[in-house]
Amino acid sequence: MKNISVILLLVSVAACSGSNRPTAPQPTAVKTPVKNVIFLIGDGMGLAQVSKAIQQREEPLNIESANYIGLIKTSSSKQAITDSAAAATAFSTGVKTYNGAVGLDANGGSKKTLLELLAEKGYATGLIATSGITHATPASFYAHVESRQKYYSIAEELVDAPVSLFIGGAEDHFDNRVDKNRGRPDNRDLVKEMAAKGVTFISALDELEKASGRVGYFTADNHPESVGNGRSDYLAESIQPSIGFLQRQSKTGFFMMAEGAQIDWGGHANDIDYTISELYDFDKAVGAAMKFAKNDGNTLVLITADHETGGLTLPAGDTKSDEPYSQAGHAFSSSGHTSVMVPVYAYGKGAEAFAGVYENTEIYNKLLSVMGH
Ligand SMILES: [Zn+2]
């Protein structure tokens, strides 16, 4: 009911605005609900990043197979430029919040996340990231804390969170270790606590085949390495076995979020090779997700970014040559995030609902709507 009243409110605001701006026809409702959602977030992946990645390679990116494209406005509740916590919270809860907030609204109130809501309805849920699993983007799907920096509190919230499977770094936020430079500052050992509650910890993806219940896989003590520094392509490699695992846990369906976290870090470092190598790594995961969705027919693959990072533009490469437009160059204009809209790429069942220009919070509403909730 809440969603309906929000939509009615938006419709009436549009009707009263007095402008002659044409309104888009509403997409026709999906006849049967989408069963499974694979939500892929390329942190910091703006249109220039994707353009550069396309230009540098002969074969097309998997992202290019998306058949419905949208654009989202990414500002947070207080700031014109969002951070990853506020942006991921907009996706996961449908409300704008302040930068740094994880799973809370702008007044600091706890908001139930999409993942928590779907778990209550019987869906299996998965989170995969190439950062620590306590980092802002994955955290915003299971934790509710006032600051993204409170990693140890975020880790505590994963202990009882309805996350069927998580794969990512930051074991140090969970472990209590003898080495005083590593692990939690308190006496808790969350790995032991979770194991006592029935969570299975695995150390290789093929162990997923025999696992059941709740499963965790730490890929690093802290943040995983970059692709350039030798990280395996576990993001892409984990998609198919994770889907198999989640399907075995529930007949209702599954919701999985997988994040290419370090596209953003390449942008902060103004390092184009870092950015693009991470984007290719992320695109491999997109390919694995699309392959499953194509065969399955009941799965939506949704790909977007939380914001753009680095203010990347693609001007002419060699401006002094006789033909200044013959080479594509690149230039970063910022070491931080920017306010430019970011693309949404949708593929598979229910994809048409994601065309258009809208606020990042609409991702939440649209996902629930195509899933029939
Ligand atoms: Zn960032």
Side-chain angles (χ1 to χ4, degrees):
M1 281 307 287
K2 203 172 174 191
N3 289 345
I4 292 168
S5 51
V6 169
I7 291 163
L8 287 175
L9 179 67
L10 291 173
V11 168
S12 51
V13 166
C16 298
S17 65
S19 85
N20 291 323
R21 191 172 72 85
T23 52
Q26 291 302 304
T28 46
V30 184
K31 289 193 179 65
T32 57
V34 170
K35 185 176 181 187
N36 311 306
V37 169
I38 306 172
F39 186 21
L40 297 137
I41 302 177
D43 201 309
M45 187 181 73
L47 190 54
Q49 284 80 354
V50 175
S51 304
K52 191 70 179 165
I54 288 172
Q55 290 162 13
Q56 284 192 355
R57 225 172 49 168
E58 299 256 310
E59 66 271 32
L61 294 184
N62 293 306
I63 288 176
E64 292 177 67
S65 297
N67 39 358
Y68 288 91
I69 312 298
L71 289 169
I72 48 171
K73 307 171 198 177
T74 64
S75 64
S76 53
S77 66
K78 291 198 179 77
Q79 296 92 353
I81 299 177
T82 192
D83 81 323
S84 295
T89 298
F91 295 151
S92 71
T93 70
V95 300
K96 298 260 185 190
T97 190
Y98 59 91
N99 286 351
V102 171
L104 304 181
D105 65 23
N107 299 318
S110 183
K111 291 289 290 181
K112 187 178 286 185
T113 72
L114 189 63
L115 182 147
E116 291 166 329
L117 199 73
L118 292 172
E120 275 180 13
K121 293 180 186 294
Y123 291 80
T125 61
L127 294 173
I128 311 172
T130 56
S131 63
I133 199 67
T134 50
H135 208 235
T137 305
S140 297
F141 287 83
Y142 67 83
H144 308 272
V145 296
E146 61 276 18
S147 165
R148 59 181 289 174
Q149 307 296 338
K150 295 193 162 182
Y151 291 118
Y152 299 112
S153 303
I154 291 170
E156 285 161 28
E157 297 213 23
L158 189 55
V159 173
D160 291 312
V163 180
S164 316
L165 169 67
F166 71 86
I167 302 174
E171 187 171 2
D172 279 355
H173 296 152
F174 295 81
D175 270 10
N176 188 287
R177 300 189 185 201
V178 182
D179 180 346
K180 66 176 169 35
N181 297 316
R182 303 252 302 269
R184 296 176 61 81
D186 57 18
N187 287 324
R188 289 181 72 177
D189 186 329
L190 303 185
V191 174
K192 277 198 185 132
E193 287 182 30
M194 290 168 91
K197 287 170 185 271
V199 177
T200 305
F201 287 93
I202 60 170
S203 53
L205 283 171
D206 55 16
E207 293 174 49
L208 266 180
E209 255 174 66
K210 290 192 184 122
S212 64
R214 289 177 64 201
V215 172
Y217 177 18
F218 286 116
T219 56
D221 291 333
N222 204 317
H223 287 310
E225 293 287 353
S226 64
V227 165
N229 285 331
R231 187 181 77 240
S232 75
D233 56 356
Y234 77 79
L235 184 67
E237 290 298 318
S238 63
I239 298 291
Q240 192 263 331
S242 297
I243 290 170
F245 170 81
L246 294 173
Q247 284 188 304
R248 286 195 299 279
Q249 307 316 304
S250 169
K251 297 225 180 318
T252 307
F254 67 81
F255 171 80
M256 179 162 88
M257 192 289 294
E259 188 203 14
Q262 300 195 29
I263 301 167
D264 174 65
W265 303 354
H268 283 292
N270 286 3
D271 181 337
I272 194 71
D273 293 335
Y274 188 176
T275 303
I276 301 301
S277 59
E278 292 292 338
L279 201 154
Y280 288 144
D281 180 74
F282 176 70
D283 187 64
K284 277 193 250 174
V286 170
M290 284 178 165
K291 190 175 168 191
F292 171 78
K294 189 177 180 184
N295 292 330
D296 180 67
N298 278 312
T299 299
L300 168 71
V301 179
L302 190 66
I303 306 133
T304 190
D306 44 1
H307 50 72
E308 193 273 347
T309 306
L312 181 64
T313 59
L314 307 179
D318 182 1
T319 49
K320 293 191 183 96
S321 84
D322 292 342
E323 281 186 76
Y325 288 168
S326 61
Q327 260 182 40
H330 74 272
F332 287 98
S333 63
S334 166
S335 61
H337 303 169
T338 69
S339 66
V340 67
M341 289 191 289
V342 289
V344 178
Y345 308 86
Y347 177 92
K349 188 158 181 174
E352 61 279 2
F354 293 86
V357 181
Y358 46 94
E359 291 288 349
N360 56 359
T361 45
E362 282 302 301
I363 295 281
Y364 169 90
N365 294 322
K366 287 174 186 286
L367 277 175
L368 281 177
S369 166
V370 298
M371 296 178 89
H373 301 302

